[in-house]
Amino acid sequence: MSSRILLRSGQRWAYRLQPLSGHHGLLNRHGAASAYSVASARTELFDVVIVGGGIAGATLARGLGANPVLRGRKVAMVESSDLSKVRNWDGSNLNTVYSNRTVSITPASQTTLTACGVWSEVDQSRIQPYCEMHVWDGVSNGQVNFNSRDLTSPETLAAASRRDGHEGAPMAWIMENLNLHRAALRALDRPVAAKTVEVMDQTRVETITTGLAASLSHDTDPAVPSEWPRVHLSSGRTLAARLLVGADGANSPVRNYSKIGSAGWPYEQHGIVATLKLEDSMVNTAAWQRFLPTGPVAILPMPNNYAALVWSMDKAHVPGLKALNEADFATALNVALRLPFEDLQYLLDHLGSDRLNLTAEYGQSLAAIADTPSNSPRASSLPPWVARVEPHSRASFPYKLQHADRYIGQRVALIGDAAHTVHPLAGQGLNLGMLDVASLLRVLETAVLNGQDIGDYNCLLGYSSERYFPNLAMVGAVDKLQRLFSTSFGPLAAVRSLGLNAVNHFPLLKNEFVKVAMG
Amino acid sequence: MSALTFFRAVLRPTLLASTTATNRAVLGRAGASCATAFSTTRRSSTQCDAGQGPSVSADEVAKFSRMSADWWAPEGHFQMLHQMNPARVAYLRTFVPSHLGPAVQEPMAAEGRASEAPPSLKPMSPLDAMVRPFTGLRMLDVGCGGGLLCESLARLGGQVTGIDASFDNIQIARLHAQQDPRLSDHQATLTYQHITTDQLKTAGTQHDVVTSLEVIEHVLQPDQFVQDLFELTRPGGLVFLSTIARTPLAYGLTILGAEKLLRMVPEGTHDYHKYLLPSELTQFTSRAGGRVLDLRGIWYNPLQARWVLMDPSLGSMGTQANYILVARKL
Ligand SMILES: Cc1cc2nc3c(=O)[nH]c(=O)nc-3n(C[C@H](O)[C@H](O)[C@H](O)COP(=O)(O)OP(=O)(O)OC[C@H]3O[C@@H](n4cnc5c(N)ncnc54)[C@H](O)[C@@H]3O)c2cc1C
């Protein structure tokens, strides 16, 4: 210890003495080599260690690598799963046309993805932009139709149509998680980022310890700053991090290490996802969502008249719905989309009973609606007709609401699902994560330009003050929506209907909604 | 907004930043000598070197480590000062490269710019100029405290010397810089010295940039102090000063509020009469052979938890409490 903290060096202190000056700085016992390369055989120094190589983590890593101001930092991204599976995914190794996990990406997220060099790596043939969203209430039949043109100024619209060749800027894009994740990883493989970022996949973070604790034990390593967190990996390596970023999902080990609590609860609803084929005659450029007391059901457009299903459902009914054969599942879904809620309720109550013959029970009423001529005024406000569900495409996920008490600690920042998980009804989960990435990159860039230590708490405060309350507001708003619509209680449903219909008729209100939805 | 909320949100940070700047309130022992040090106290050079003798005991090291950790604690007594630092560095960034910086390898930028860059400076790429704007400049921070500003300047490429009349502060600063591998390896030049301006003057060293932020209000002879700063600056170089204006508002913030009403700092920490009006500091500057290039206020924005530089066009409206100026040595 005493050899480390020398309080004297002849006449005066010199932290750095250029090699040509002929005598070396105290700490630079290794000559001109950077302290980063020589720290120790056991502990390696990194400016940023990102735990979690999901979409949020990989986009941040690439953003750090691509930013000219931040370049030259040493970055590690640690991921427990095998990323080559995502990297080598080409869509054809699926047993369905499209993967069932999809996200809706807002223009704000697209901006971040573009700035981080990820967007250009997305397979554009597998994504679907949409300009319209129809939301309606299965109990009251109140309806609101959003259009990104509601929001955009005429000039922006004109520019967008010149650029994209279609009318209006999209409200959002639907794409497979895998498509986006692969794009982020490919972007990371580009030389510009590869120089900065070391990707360590198939590597688990086993424990994280504080350096201060280590410095009390005999295990201290003089070249490693005592205050930096140490990340111990399953590969046997130990990384000391100036800044430790938790992009490690809802059960964030980084959050636990930092003793940052979180508040939240599991939802009674789970989500069923699936890949759907829609009736061929439909124009498939709108997102549809119907709120039902059992949970909202969303049909999100994919190319070639496919669609992604996110059906939030009381968890008790989920196994029964998943067990239906494909034809019956499609029928049940059409019931949920088109018939009064009582019909769906009856169906759910009799799931698994032999006496329920879905086609016999609902075929006629569904056919009556389906037969509405396509040129009739009602047709445009009708939800899509689900022709079939792709074999083997159904899966389900539990939902939970969770919000970290803080996003930062000394030398720690949380982003993405590690900081917050929301009910997917507004399609915001990953989009909030992208806003986190953009904000953190901005804050770190400013910190570097002002000569700050990028792990310093006071510099990270900028990130938390930018993101904490907006995210909390969104998490809360989405939760309230979920509660509001999960009831069939008469007066409330009437208010809802009034609400939605009112929204539909007041352009200003509508704009506000669209703005939230578009990030 | 009730008076108390207003105090918490706006006044408290403002006065914290100004009261803690030279550590008096917190590091009593160190601070006591610090306040009077610059123009008057002379801790002999033997004393400061002897203090760092070859056999510093482990106890001493542990003591300084603890003090260093306290000084730099993210939510500790100096948090407001930490939060003020980016605004100060941003201010330096605004003036130093444009007046003293190296030529940037861009025909547009190099032309017609009357930079007084030291002749030794090599032209830089635009990116290097952005990331290490102080490259090659000799910078001196007088009253460096725990090294907050010095570390930032060194990261931005400056050849930085921090001096402080408090031995404890210098040890705190050294230990902390040692904790950052990028400051302690060959990429940065950062030297701390326990020495007064008088002693440094005798050595005859001159610097491209001299800073002394939130220090002068603790100095006995401020006019002499400003004189010293300019003597340590080479002709054409820049001097940065910041302090608190002697206004009723500043009195309310830092003395009535902090000391008498809320007793957040010991009574007597501040001496209102030592506060300097912008006009006075400008006068000292011209007497010392400098010309003020810019002067503006710095205010705390409680919503964003950060300090912001006021628009100079606000004039004296913006400089009622904390303010900063830059002057060129003629
Ligand atoms: C049904 C459903 C529909 C959704 N729809 C949308 C939508 O339309 N729009 C939207 O924006 N969002 C949506 N979301 C949310 C979105 O999928 C998530 O917010 C997003 O995937 C989270 O990304 P992330 O990178 O933050 O976390 P994750 O993807 O969870 O990544 C965390 C990573 O950390 C790794 N990790 C964890 N622990 C360790 C360890 N100890 N060592 C090493 N690595 C570790 C994990 O392996 C994982 O790869 C939906 C979610 C669900 C469930």
Side-chain angles (χ1 to χ4, degrees), chain A residues 4-5 8 13 15-16 27 32 47 226 242 449 451 458, chain B residues 52 74 93 155 174-175 178-180 182 184 186 188 190-191:
Chain A
R4 168 153 73 113
I5 303 172
R8 170 194 91 91
W13 267 64
Y15 282 93
R16 184 245 48 161
L27 293 166
D47 286 301
S226 58
R242 180 189 294 275
L449 290 179
N458 281 299
Chain B
Q52 308 160 38
R93 279 194 76 104
R155 286 194 189 94
R174 286 173 176 167
L175 282 171
Q178 228 177 355
Q179 283 286 306
D180 188 337
R182 284 200 189 275
S184 50
H186 67 283
L190 178 53
T191 310

PDB file of all heavy atoms in Angstrom, chain A residues 4-5 8 13 15-16 27 32 47 226 242 449 451 458, chain B residues 52 74 93 155 174-175 178-180 182 184 186 188 190-191:
ATOM      1  N   ARG A   4       2.194   2.351  -3.114  1.00  0.00           N
ATOM      2  CA  ARG A   4       1.237   2.896  -4.060  1.00  0.00           C
ATOM      3  C   ARG A   4       1.035   4.376  -3.822  1.00  0.00           C
ATOM      4  O   ARG A   4       1.140   5.196  -4.689  1.00  0.00           O
ATOM      5  CB  ARG A   4      -0.104   2.185  -3.908  1.00  0.00           C
ATOM      6  CG  ARG A   4      -1.201   2.919  -4.652  1.00  0.00           C
ATOM      7  CD  ARG A   4      -2.276   2.008  -5.061  1.00  0.00           C
ATOM      8  NE  ARG A   4      -3.096   1.586  -3.941  1.00  0.00           N
ATOM      9  CZ  ARG A   4      -4.371   1.934  -3.812  1.00  0.00           C
ATOM     10  NH1 ARG A   4      -4.923   2.701  -4.703  1.00  0.00           N
ATOM     11  NH2 ARG A   4      -5.079   1.493  -2.810  1.00  0.00           N
ATOM     12  N   ILE A   5       0.716   4.699  -2.601  1.00  0.00           N
ATOM     13  CA  ILE A   5       0.374   6.084  -2.351  1.00  0.00           C
ATOM     14  C   ILE A   5       1.622   6.816  -1.861  1.00  0.00           C
ATOM     15  O   ILE A   5       1.804   7.057  -0.682  1.00  0.00           O
ATOM     16  CB  ILE A   5      -0.794   6.176  -1.369  1.00  0.00           C
ATOM     17  CG1 ILE A   5      -1.964   5.383  -1.945  1.00  0.00           C
ATOM     18  CG2 ILE A   5      -1.197   7.609  -1.135  1.00  0.00           C
ATOM     19  CD1 ILE A   5      -3.102   5.229  -1.022  1.00  0.00           C
ATOM     20  N   ARG A   8       5.256  11.721  -2.171  1.00  0.00           N
ATOM     21  CA  ARG A   8       6.372  12.586  -2.494  1.00  0.00           C
ATOM     22  C   ARG A   8       7.071  12.036  -3.740  1.00  0.00           C
ATOM     23  O   ARG A   8       7.119  10.843  -3.968  1.00  0.00           O
ATOM     24  CB  ARG A   8       7.335  12.559  -1.315  1.00  0.00           C
ATOM     25  CG  ARG A   8       8.655  13.200  -1.528  1.00  0.00           C
ATOM     26  CD  ARG A   8       9.566  12.793  -0.413  1.00  0.00           C
ATOM     27  NE  ARG A   8      10.297  11.594  -0.777  1.00  0.00           N
ATOM     28  CZ  ARG A   8      11.485  11.644  -1.388  1.00  0.00           C
ATOM     29  NH1 ARG A   8      12.041  12.779  -1.695  1.00  0.00           N
ATOM     30  NH2 ARG A   8      12.109  10.539  -1.686  1.00  0.00           N
ATOM     31  N   TRP A  13       5.284  16.871  -7.395  1.00  0.00           N
ATOM     32  CA  TRP A  13       4.530  15.757  -7.944  1.00  0.00           C
ATOM     33  C   TRP A  13       4.390  15.857  -9.433  1.00  0.00           C
ATOM     34  O   TRP A  13       4.207  16.917  -9.973  1.00  0.00           O
ATOM     35  CB  TRP A  13       3.136  15.770  -7.342  1.00  0.00           C
ATOM     36  CG  TRP A  13       3.101  14.904  -6.160  1.00  0.00           C
ATOM     37  CD1 TRP A  13       3.787  15.070  -5.011  1.00  0.00           C
ATOM     38  CD2 TRP A  13       2.373  13.716  -6.036  1.00  0.00           C
ATOM     39  NE1 TRP A  13       3.526  14.054  -4.164  1.00  0.00           N
ATOM     40  CE2 TRP A  13       2.654  13.210  -4.753  1.00  0.00           C
ATOM     41  CE3 TRP A  13       1.499  13.006  -6.867  1.00  0.00           C
ATOM     42  CZ2 TRP A  13       2.110  12.028  -4.301  1.00  0.00           C
ATOM     43  CZ3 TRP A  13       0.955  11.848  -6.399  1.00  0.00           C
ATOM     44  CH2 TRP A  13       1.265  11.366  -5.122  1.00  0.00           C
ATOM     45  N   TYR A  15       2.209  13.662 -12.199  1.00  0.00           N
ATOM     46  CA  TYR A  15       1.417  12.480 -12.501  1.00  0.00           C
ATOM     47  C   TYR A  15       1.803  11.900 -13.833  1.00  0.00           C
ATOM     48  O   TYR A  15       1.706  10.730 -14.076  1.00  0.00           O
ATOM     49  CB  TYR A  15      -0.067  12.819 -12.498  1.00  0.00           C
ATOM     50  CG  TYR A  15      -0.541  12.905 -11.112  1.00  0.00           C
ATOM     51  CD1 TYR A  15      -0.560  14.106 -10.439  1.00  0.00           C
ATOM     52  CD2 TYR A  15      -0.880  11.752 -10.441  1.00  0.00           C
ATOM     53  CE1 TYR A  15      -0.948  14.163  -9.138  1.00  0.00           C
ATOM     54  CE2 TYR A  15      -1.265  11.796  -9.133  1.00  0.00           C
ATOM     55  CZ  TYR A  15      -1.305  13.004  -8.482  1.00  0.00           C
ATOM     56  OH  TYR A  15      -1.686  13.059  -7.195  1.00  0.00           O
ATOM     57  N   ARG A  16       2.192  12.793 -14.682  1.00  0.00           N
ATOM     58  CA  ARG A  16       2.567  12.316 -15.989  1.00  0.00           C
ATOM     59  C   ARG A  16       3.864  12.965 -16.363  1.00  0.00           C
ATOM     60  O   ARG A  16       4.054  14.150 -16.208  1.00  0.00           O
ATOM     61  CB  ARG A  16       1.525  12.715 -17.031  1.00  0.00           C
ATOM     62  CG  ARG A  16       1.826  12.158 -18.388  1.00  0.00           C
ATOM     63  CD  ARG A  16       2.132  13.210 -19.413  1.00  0.00           C
ATOM     64  NE  ARG A  16       3.088  14.205 -18.965  1.00  0.00           N
ATOM     65  CZ  ARG A  16       3.749  14.959 -19.807  1.00  0.00           C
ATOM     66  NH1 ARG A  16       3.557  14.841 -21.078  1.00  0.00           N
ATOM     67  NH2 ARG A  16       4.591  15.869 -19.365  1.00  0.00           N
ATOM     68  N   LEU A  27       2.917   6.726 -11.152  1.00  0.00           N
ATOM     69  CA  LEU A  27       1.994   5.631 -11.364  1.00  0.00           C
ATOM     70  C   LEU A  27       2.296   4.935 -12.656  1.00  0.00           C
ATOM     71  O   LEU A  27       1.815   3.866 -12.925  1.00  0.00           O
ATOM     72  CB  LEU A  27       0.578   6.183 -11.412  1.00  0.00           C
ATOM     73  CG  LEU A  27       0.168   6.725 -10.074  1.00  0.00           C
ATOM     74  CD1 LEU A  27      -1.065   7.561 -10.215  1.00  0.00           C
ATOM     75  CD2 LEU A  27      -0.043   5.571  -9.125  1.00  0.00           C
ATOM     76  N   ALA A  32       5.511   4.221 -21.191  1.00  0.00           N
ATOM     77  CA  ALA A  32       4.534   5.005 -21.921  1.00  0.00           C
ATOM     78  C   ALA A  32       3.202   4.295 -22.095  1.00  0.00           C
ATOM     79  O   ALA A  32       2.230   4.892 -22.489  1.00  0.00           O
ATOM     80  CB  ALA A  32       5.093   5.380 -23.282  1.00  0.00           C
ATOM     81  N   ASP A  47     -13.420   1.836 -19.480  1.00  0.00           N
ATOM     82  CA  ASP A  47     -14.145   3.076 -19.224  1.00  0.00           C
ATOM     83  C   ASP A  47     -15.618   2.796 -19.015  1.00  0.00           C
ATOM     84  O   ASP A  47     -16.257   3.380 -18.159  1.00  0.00           O
ATOM     85  CB  ASP A  47     -13.963   4.048 -20.395  1.00  0.00           C
ATOM     86  CG  ASP A  47     -12.573   4.647 -20.400  1.00  0.00           C
ATOM     87  OD1 ASP A  47     -12.205   5.294 -19.407  1.00  0.00           O
ATOM     88  OD2 ASP A  47     -11.839   4.450 -21.385  1.00  0.00           O
ATOM     89  N   SER A 226      -9.636   2.037  -6.457  1.00  0.00           N
ATOM     90  CA  SER A 226     -10.370   1.267  -5.455  1.00  0.00           C
ATOM     91  C   SER A 226     -11.872   1.498  -5.554  1.00  0.00           C
ATOM     92  O   SER A 226     -12.659   0.654  -5.186  1.00  0.00           O
ATOM     93  CB  SER A 226      -9.881   1.650  -4.062  1.00  0.00           C
ATOM     94  OG  SER A 226     -10.057   3.037  -3.874  1.00  0.00           O
ATOM     95  N   ARG A 242     -15.026   2.176 -14.929  1.00  0.00           N
ATOM     96  CA  ARG A 242     -15.220   3.584 -14.589  1.00  0.00           C
ATOM     97  C   ARG A 242     -16.731   3.865 -14.527  1.00  0.00           C
ATOM     98  O   ARG A 242     -17.209   4.536 -13.637  1.00  0.00           O
ATOM     99  CB  ARG A 242     -14.585   4.456 -15.671  1.00  0.00           C
ATOM    100  CG  ARG A 242     -14.725   5.946 -15.437  1.00  0.00           C
ATOM    101  CD  ARG A 242     -14.276   6.742 -16.652  1.00  0.00           C
ATOM    102  NE  ARG A 242     -12.844   6.615 -16.909  1.00  0.00           N
ATOM    103  CZ  ARG A 242     -11.900   7.344 -16.334  1.00  0.00           C
ATOM    104  NH1 ARG A 242     -12.222   8.268 -15.472  1.00  0.00           N
ATOM    105  NH2 ARG A 242     -10.633   7.161 -16.622  1.00  0.00           N
ATOM    106  N   LEU A 449     -16.655  16.525 -23.084  1.00  0.00           N
ATOM    107  CA  LEU A 449     -16.280  17.860 -23.562  1.00  0.00           C
ATOM    108  C   LEU A 449     -15.991  18.815 -22.407  1.00  0.00           C
ATOM    109  O   LEU A 449     -15.241  19.774 -22.560  1.00  0.00           O
ATOM    110  CB  LEU A 449     -17.395  18.435 -24.449  1.00  0.00           C
ATOM    111  CG  LEU A 449     -17.549  17.731 -25.799  1.00  0.00           C
ATOM    112  CD1 LEU A 449     -18.688  18.341 -26.595  1.00  0.00           C
ATOM    113  CD2 LEU A 449     -16.250  17.784 -26.596  1.00  0.00           C
ATOM    114  N   GLY A 451     -14.544  17.755 -19.688  1.00  0.00           N
ATOM    115  CA  GLY A 451     -13.432  17.201 -18.929  1.00  0.00           C
ATOM    116  C   GLY A 451     -13.847  16.477 -17.657  1.00  0.00           C
ATOM    117  O   GLY A 451     -13.057  16.332 -16.732  1.00  0.00           O
ATOM    118  N   ASN A 458     -22.240  13.017 -10.257  1.00  0.00           N
ATOM    119  CA  ASN A 458     -22.803  14.325 -10.589  1.00  0.00           C
ATOM    120  C   ASN A 458     -22.925  14.538 -12.092  1.00  0.00           C
ATOM    121  O   ASN A 458     -23.729  15.342 -12.544  1.00  0.00           O
ATOM    122  CB  ASN A 458     -21.993  15.444  -9.938  1.00  0.00           C
ATOM    123  CG  ASN A 458     -22.360  15.591  -8.476  1.00  0.00           C
ATOM    124  OD1 ASN A 458     -23.506  15.867  -8.158  1.00  0.00           O
ATOM    125  ND2 ASN A 458     -21.398  15.353  -7.598  1.00  0.00           N
TER     126      ASN A 458
ATOM    127  N   GLN B  52       6.016  16.064   3.081  1.00  0.00           N
ATOM    128  CA  GLN B  52       5.893  14.920   2.179  1.00  0.00           C
ATOM    129  C   GLN B  52       7.131  14.049   2.253  1.00  0.00           C
ATOM    130  O   GLN B  52       7.532  13.437   1.283  1.00  0.00           O
ATOM    131  CB  GLN B  52       5.710  15.407   0.749  1.00  0.00           C
ATOM    132  CG  GLN B  52       4.597  16.407   0.607  1.00  0.00           C
ATOM    133  CD  GLN B  52       4.746  17.222  -0.645  1.00  0.00           C
ATOM    134  OE1 GLN B  52       5.143  16.707  -1.667  1.00  0.00           O
ATOM    135  NE2 GLN B  52       4.460  18.491  -0.572  1.00  0.00           N
ATOM    136  N   PRO B  74     -19.873  12.157  -3.914  1.00  0.00           N
ATOM    137  CA  PRO B  74     -20.778  12.732  -4.909  1.00  0.00           C
ATOM    138  C   PRO B  74     -21.920  13.539  -4.299  1.00  0.00           C
ATOM    139  O   PRO B  74     -22.361  14.517  -4.883  1.00  0.00           O
ATOM    140  CB  PRO B  74     -21.313  11.511  -5.665  1.00  0.00           C
ATOM    141  CG  PRO B  74     -20.917  10.323  -4.870  1.00  0.00           C
ATOM    142  CD  PRO B  74     -19.744  10.702  -4.035  1.00  0.00           C
ATOM    143  N   ARG B  93     -13.871  26.728 -22.158  1.00  0.00           N
ATOM    144  CA  ARG B  93     -13.885  26.233 -23.541  1.00  0.00           C
ATOM    145  C   ARG B  93     -14.305  27.317 -24.525  1.00  0.00           C
ATOM    146  O   ARG B  93     -13.889  27.321 -25.677  1.00  0.00           O
ATOM    147  CB  ARG B  93     -14.891  25.079 -23.678  1.00  0.00           C
ATOM    148  CG  ARG B  93     -14.438  23.749 -23.233  1.00  0.00           C
ATOM    149  CD  ARG B  93     -15.423  22.701 -23.754  1.00  0.00           C
ATOM    150  NE  ARG B  93     -15.202  22.489 -25.171  1.00  0.00           N
ATOM    151  CZ  ARG B  93     -14.581  21.428 -25.664  1.00  0.00           C
ATOM    152  NH1 ARG B  93     -14.168  20.483 -24.871  1.00  0.00           N
ATOM    153  NH2 ARG B  93     -14.392  21.311 -26.948  1.00  0.00           N
ATOM    154  N   ARG B 155      -7.798  16.603 -18.356  1.00  0.00           N
ATOM    155  CA  ARG B 155      -8.450  15.681 -19.307  1.00  0.00           C
ATOM    156  C   ARG B 155      -8.608  16.331 -20.667  1.00  0.00           C
ATOM    157  O   ARG B 155      -8.637  15.660 -21.691  1.00  0.00           O
ATOM    158  CB  ARG B 155      -9.835  15.277 -18.799  1.00  0.00           C
ATOM    159  CG  ARG B 155      -9.793  14.296 -17.669  1.00  0.00           C
ATOM    160  CD  ARG B 155     -11.149  13.673 -17.411  1.00  0.00           C
ATOM    161  NE  ARG B 155     -11.078  12.900 -16.183  1.00  0.00           N
ATOM    162  CZ  ARG B 155     -11.417  13.370 -14.984  1.00  0.00           C
ATOM    163  NH1 ARG B 155     -11.912  14.589 -14.872  1.00  0.00           N
ATOM    164  NH2 ARG B 155     -11.278  12.638 -13.908  1.00  0.00           N
ATOM    165  N   ARG B 174      -4.060  15.163  -4.871  1.00  0.00           N
ATOM    166  CA  ARG B 174      -3.135  14.169  -5.427  1.00  0.00           C
ATOM    167  C   ARG B 174      -3.706  12.766  -5.347  1.00  0.00           C
ATOM    168  O   ARG B 174      -3.666  12.008  -6.307  1.00  0.00           O
ATOM    169  CB  ARG B 174      -1.820  14.208  -4.642  1.00  0.00           C
ATOM    170  CG  ARG B 174      -0.983  15.415  -4.961  1.00  0.00           C
ATOM    171  CD  ARG B 174       0.202  15.483  -4.031  1.00  0.00           C
ATOM    172  NE  ARG B 174       1.061  16.610  -4.399  1.00  0.00           N
ATOM    173  CZ  ARG B 174       2.034  17.068  -3.640  1.00  0.00           C
ATOM    174  NH1 ARG B 174       2.291  16.489  -2.481  1.00  0.00           N
ATOM    175  NH2 ARG B 174       2.757  18.084  -4.048  1.00  0.00           N
ATOM    176  N   LEU B 175      -4.224  12.441  -4.177  1.00  0.00           N
ATOM    177  CA  LEU B 175      -4.757  11.091  -4.005  1.00  0.00           C
ATOM    178  C   LEU B 175      -5.912  10.849  -4.969  1.00  0.00           C
ATOM    179  O   LEU B 175      -6.055   9.762  -5.521  1.00  0.00           O
ATOM    180  CB  LEU B 175      -5.246  10.899  -2.572  1.00  0.00           C
ATOM    181  CG  LEU B 175      -4.125  10.646  -1.583  1.00  0.00           C
ATOM    182  CD1 LEU B 175      -4.660  10.676  -0.161  1.00  0.00           C
ATOM    183  CD2 LEU B 175      -3.492   9.292  -1.879  1.00  0.00           C
ATOM    184  N   GLN B 178      -4.838  10.234  -8.521  1.00  0.00           N
ATOM    185  CA  GLN B 178      -4.231   8.913  -8.635  1.00  0.00           C
ATOM    186  C   GLN B 178      -5.270   7.835  -8.898  1.00  0.00           C
ATOM    187  O   GLN B 178      -4.961   6.767  -9.406  1.00  0.00           O
ATOM    188  CB  GLN B 178      -3.558   8.599  -7.307  1.00  0.00           C
ATOM    189  CG  GLN B 178      -2.167   8.097  -7.467  1.00  0.00           C
ATOM    190  CD  GLN B 178      -1.514   7.868  -6.115  1.00  0.00           C
ATOM    191  OE1 GLN B 178      -2.082   8.172  -5.062  1.00  0.00           O
ATOM    192  NE2 GLN B 178      -0.338   7.342  -6.155  1.00  0.00           N
ATOM    193  N   GLN B 179      -6.516   8.122  -8.525  1.00  0.00           N
ATOM    194  CA  GLN B 179      -7.578   7.143  -8.696  1.00  0.00           C
ATOM    195  C   GLN B 179      -8.074   7.069 -10.137  1.00  0.00           C
ATOM    196  O   GLN B 179      -8.913   6.246 -10.453  1.00  0.00           O
ATOM    197  CB  GLN B 179      -8.756   7.503  -7.792  1.00  0.00           C
ATOM    198  CG  GLN B 179      -8.527   7.145  -6.341  1.00  0.00           C
ATOM    199  CD  GLN B 179      -8.626   5.649  -6.127  1.00  0.00           C
ATOM    200  OE1 GLN B 179      -9.613   5.030  -6.482  1.00  0.00           O
ATOM    201  NE2 GLN B 179      -7.586   5.058  -5.569  1.00  0.00           N
ATOM    202  N   ASP B 180      -7.605   7.962 -10.966  1.00  0.00           N
ATOM    203  CA  ASP B 180      -8.061   7.916 -12.355  1.00  0.00           C
ATOM    204  C   ASP B 180      -6.905   7.554 -13.279  1.00  0.00           C
ATOM    205  O   ASP B 180      -6.001   8.351 -13.490  1.00  0.00           O
ATOM    206  CB  ASP B 180      -8.646   9.268 -12.768  1.00  0.00           C
ATOM    207  CG  ASP B 180      -9.296   9.189 -14.145  1.00  0.00           C
ATOM    208  OD1 ASP B 180      -8.926   8.284 -14.928  1.00  0.00           O
ATOM    209  OD2 ASP B 180     -10.163  10.020 -14.437  1.00  0.00           O
ATOM    210  N   ARG B 182      -6.600   7.509 -16.319  1.00  0.00           N
ATOM    211  CA  ARG B 182      -6.370   8.389 -17.473  1.00  0.00           C
ATOM    212  C   ARG B 182      -5.704   9.700 -17.056  1.00  0.00           C
ATOM    213  O   ARG B 182      -5.240  10.451 -17.908  1.00  0.00           O
ATOM    214  CB  ARG B 182      -7.675   8.684 -18.201  1.00  0.00           C
ATOM    215  CG  ARG B 182      -8.150   7.527 -19.054  1.00  0.00           C
ATOM    216  CD  ARG B 182      -9.136   7.965 -20.110  1.00  0.00           C
ATOM    217  NE  ARG B 182      -9.738   6.821 -20.763  1.00  0.00           N
ATOM    218  CZ  ARG B 182      -9.191   6.177 -21.794  1.00  0.00           C
ATOM    219  NH1 ARG B 182      -8.037   6.566 -22.285  1.00  0.00           N
ATOM    220  NH2 ARG B 182      -9.798   5.142 -22.326  1.00  0.00           N
ATOM    221  N   SER B 184      -3.431   9.574 -14.503  1.00  0.00           N
ATOM    222  CA  SER B 184      -2.148   9.226 -13.921  1.00  0.00           C
ATOM    223  C   SER B 184      -1.219   8.558 -14.927  1.00  0.00           C
ATOM    224  O   SER B 184      -0.110   8.213 -14.589  1.00  0.00           O
ATOM    225  CB  SER B 184      -2.360   8.331 -12.707  1.00  0.00           C
ATOM    226  OG  SER B 184      -3.207   7.259 -13.024  1.00  0.00           O
ATOM    227  N   HIS B 186       0.379   8.526 -19.136  1.00  0.00           N
ATOM    228  CA  HIS B 186       1.066   9.514 -19.965  1.00  0.00           C
ATOM    229  C   HIS B 186       0.127  10.447 -20.717  1.00  0.00           C
ATOM    230  O   HIS B 186       0.555  11.394 -21.336  1.00  0.00           O
ATOM    231  CB  HIS B 186       1.936   8.784 -20.980  1.00  0.00           C
ATOM    232  CG  HIS B 186       1.115   8.017 -21.987  1.00  0.00           C
ATOM    233  ND1 HIS B 186       0.514   6.820 -21.677  1.00  0.00           N
ATOM    234  CD2 HIS B 186       0.780   8.302 -23.260  1.00  0.00           C
ATOM    235  CE1 HIS B 186      -0.153   6.398 -22.735  1.00  0.00           C
ATOM    236  NE2 HIS B 186      -0.017   7.267 -23.706  1.00  0.00           N
ATOM    237  N   ALA B 188      -2.038  12.526 -19.556  1.00  0.00           N
ATOM    238  CA  ALA B 188      -2.390  13.793 -18.921  1.00  0.00           C
ATOM    239  C   ALA B 188      -1.180  14.365 -18.184  1.00  0.00           C
ATOM    240  O   ALA B 188      -0.297  13.643 -17.761  1.00  0.00           O
ATOM    241  CB  ALA B 188      -3.549  13.586 -17.960  1.00  0.00           C
ATOM    242  N   LEU B 190      -0.553  16.640 -14.960  1.00  0.00           N
ATOM    243  CA  LEU B 190      -1.235  17.248 -13.824  1.00  0.00           C
ATOM    244  C   LEU B 190      -0.279  17.247 -12.645  1.00  0.00           C
ATOM    245  O   LEU B 190       0.196  16.199 -12.225  1.00  0.00           O
ATOM    246  CB  LEU B 190      -2.504  16.452 -13.504  1.00  0.00           C
ATOM    247  CG  LEU B 190      -3.335  16.907 -12.312  1.00  0.00           C
ATOM    248  CD1 LEU B 190      -3.686  18.377 -12.408  1.00  0.00           C
ATOM    249  CD2 LEU B 190      -4.606  16.075 -12.227  1.00  0.00           C
ATOM    250  N   THR B 191       0.010  18.428 -12.165  1.00  0.00           N
ATOM    251  CA  THR B 191       0.946  18.574 -11.052  1.00  0.00           C
ATOM    252  C   THR B 191       0.292  19.385  -9.956  1.00  0.00           C
ATOM    253  O   THR B 191      -0.347  20.397 -10.238  1.00  0.00           O
ATOM    254  CB  THR B 191       2.205  19.340 -11.530  1.00  0.00           C
ATOM    255  OG1 THR B 191       2.679  18.728 -12.720  1.00  0.00           O
ATOM    256  CG2 THR B 191       3.287  19.310 -10.474  1.00  0.00           C
TER     257      THR B 191
END
